[in-house]
Amino acid sequence: MENKRIIWLDLAKGFAMLLVVIGHCMRDEMRQASMILDLFYRSIYIFHMAFFFWLSGNIYMLSKSKNDQPLAIAKRRIQKQFPPWIFYTLFIYIVFEIAMRLPILKDLFARSGYSSLSIIEYLLSCFKANNPLAYHLWFLYILMIIILLFSILDNYTIHVCPIAIASGFIGILARDIVPVRSWWRLYNYVTLYLPMFAIGAWQCNFQPKKKILYPWGFIGLAYIAIRAVYYSDFSGNSLRVEGLERCIIYILSYLCLPGLMLLLKHVFQQEIFPPTKRYLTFLGKNSLAIYLYHQPFCCAFPGMILYNRLHFNAILTMSICFVLCMLIGLFQEFLAKRKQHD
């Protein structure tokens, strides 16, 4: 799998990355001014990170199908993901600490809610899955934890997927009584996405018939629409799970969303949309680089300047931020080709 890329996985990762970039190109002020943008944003956030974890479960099982041992899979994945996570975590701290001391930017950052932190305070927040300078990095951090937990379960148990799903459900239901305190984000992310990772692993080789696949996919879309419209006070990543109703809503996602994910997998395996293949493959192959650097360099800071200071309209601001994000992928491809040439 490392030497030969799987086309549908690149397409699926590219689609998920596209949703991530679009979501991050929207500023809160844009959503407050536009009900349509706000609804679109909430719909994206209900689905896109869950899809990433589901895909990661698929990737785990594809690695295991090559007779790789669970702990070896975890070691390899963590060795691949930890260096970029820790490098970018430290890099963004240095960049922001320098920027917040520049007279020309100091007031701008202060009005945007940024403040200087000691390296100890900063790293502690990062290990709580709450990076104040690059919040999006929680995904890589939580993914490493989930892969490690899942591989340990897989190494020492037979029925790893149902055990992982049950563990996540118990964690969600126990959210209000577990004294997680300032570590609540870490707790919630692991408990909410461990089941989706396990479902992805479980469904890796699952090929439902079309008479099941298409209705199940529609149910997934309906779930997103209903939740986005009627539960507008929290999205997929607003993870304060409080009360039985919210627990049920989250648990329903594990029943409804996998149908849509399987349908997307089917679409990408069939390559039904050839014109988009090249673009989504580009995003999929360069998803890690784009994910690391697009926020805040291409979305938050440019968006703040263009929309809040220069008063560009929302669509123009988002378009410029989107193009900047794509430049990261192009630069990554340039470096990869240069490395191959050398």
Side-chain angles (χ1 to χ4, degrees):
M1 190 172 129
E2 292 293 328
N3 298 324
K4 186 176 181 180
R5 303 194 70 92
I6 299 175
I7 295 175
W8 80 262
L9 269 178
D10 278 336
L11 292 171
K13 285 193 296 182
F15 177 72
M17 196 64 240
L18 177 65
L19 295 181
V20 168
V21 170
I22 292 173
H24 284 167
C25 285
M26 294 186 206
R27 296 191 58 75
D28 290 342
E29 298 88 346
M30 296 177 185
R31 294 165 46 220
Q32 292 167 4
S34 171
M35 183 177 67
I36 295 175
L37 284 181
D38 187 49
L39 184 63
F40 188 38
Y41 176 90
R42 292 201 306 271
S43 300
I44 288 173
Y45 269 70
I46 290 168
F47 179 76
H48 70 329
M49 297 317 299
F51 190 41
F52 261 128
F53 281 100
W54 186 87
L55 286 174
S56 297
N58 272 254
I59 293 170
Y60 176 91
M61 293 305 290
L62 288 170
S63 297
K64 191 177 177 182
S65 68
K66 297 169 61 177
N67 297 320
D68 289 352
Q69 295 301 309
L71 294 180
I73 296 172
K75 180 180 178 181
R76 186 170 62 250
R77 293 290 300 279
I78 291 172
Q79 284 176 337
K80 181 180 179 181
Q81 293 170 354
F82 182 78
W85 176 74
I86 193 64
F87 168 80
Y88 187 81
T89 296
L90 296 173
F91 170 70
I92 200 69
Y93 176 79
I94 295 170
V95 169
F96 267 75
E97 284 297 312
I98 293 173
M100 284 187 282
R101 285 169 169 74
L102 296 175
I104 193 172
L105 297 175
K106 189 174 182 180
D107 291 340
L108 181 62
F109 278 106
R111 287 196 297 270
S112 301
Y114 292 103
S115 59
S116 182
L117 293 170
S118 72
I119 186 64
I120 301 300
E121 291 176 309
Y122 173 70
L123 288 176
L124 182 60
S125 294
C126 294
F127 284 111
K128 292 178 179 179
N130 187 27
N131 187 323
L133 305 179
Y135 178 66
H136 68 292
L137 291 183
W138 71 266
F139 167 69
L140 286 179
Y141 176 51
I142 297 300
L143 180 58
M144 288 187 291
I145 293 175
I146 287 178
I147 289 173
L148 181 60
L149 290 174
F150 192 86
S151 66
I152 291 172
L153 284 173
D154 194 16
N155 198 62
Y156 296 107
T157 61
I158 299 175
H159 304 292
V160 58
C161 291
I163 291 174
I165 294 169
S167 298
F169 283 12
I170 292 170
I172 293 171
L173 294 171
R175 166 63 179 87
D176 291 335
I177 61 175
V178 176
V180 291
R181 298 178 183 175
S182 63
W183 294 80
W184 71 268
R185 290 183 188 273
L186 175 62
Y187 177 90
N188 274 297
Y189 282 136
V190 172
T191 55
L192 284 171
Y193 290 117
L194 176 59
M196 196 58 77
F197 182 97
I199 291 170
W202 210 348
Q203 292 183 330
C204 179
N205 298 312
F206 181 48
Q207 297 287 344
K209 295 180 180 179
K210 290 184 179 180
K211 63 180 181 181
I212 296 175
L213 180 62
Y214 287 101
W216 197 0
F218 176 78
I219 289 171
L221 282 173
Y223 168 84
I224 292 172
I226 292 170
R227 180 169 153 185
V229 171
Y230 292 101
Y231 295 91
S232 60
D233 62 329
F234 75 109
S235 67
N237 283 338
S238 296
L239 300 174
R240 286 188 180 274
V241 184
E242 299 167 347
L244 182 60
E245 183 181 26
R246 290 196 175 192
C247 289
I248 293 173
I249 291 169
Y250 277 122
I251 289 174
L252 279 174
S253 70
Y254 306 123
L255 300 175
C256 301
L257 293 182
L260 179 56
M261 295 169 184
L262 284 169
L263 181 57
L264 285 171
K265 179 179 178 179
H266 171 73
V267 169
F268 294 133
Q269 285 178 326
Q270 301 300 315
E271 300 182 34
I272 292 176
F273 303 116
T276 66
K277 178 182 175 181
R278 183 176 179 181
Y279 178 67
L280 292 181
T281 301
F282 162 77
L283 286 174
K285 288 181 177 179
N286 300 289
S287 59
L288 180 58
I290 295 173
Y291 195 87
L292 283 173
Y293 291 100
H294 81 285
Q295 176 79 347
F297 295 114
C298 301
C299 294
F301 188 70
M304 179 171 59
I305 298 296
L306 296 172
Y307 189 78
N308 297 90
R309 298 298 296 273
L310 300 180
H311 305 294
F312 284 26
N313 65 48
I315 300 301
L316 180 57
T317 299
M318 290 175 61
S319 299
I320 294 172
C321 292
F322 188 87
V323 170
L324 292 175
C325 294
M326 296 307 100
L327 290 177
I328 296 174
L330 290 173
F331 184 65
Q332 175 65 22
E333 281 204 341
F334 168 76
L335 292 178
K337 290 179 181 179
R338 185 172 180 179
K339 185 177 179 181
Q340 288 179 351
H341 184 267
D342 293 341

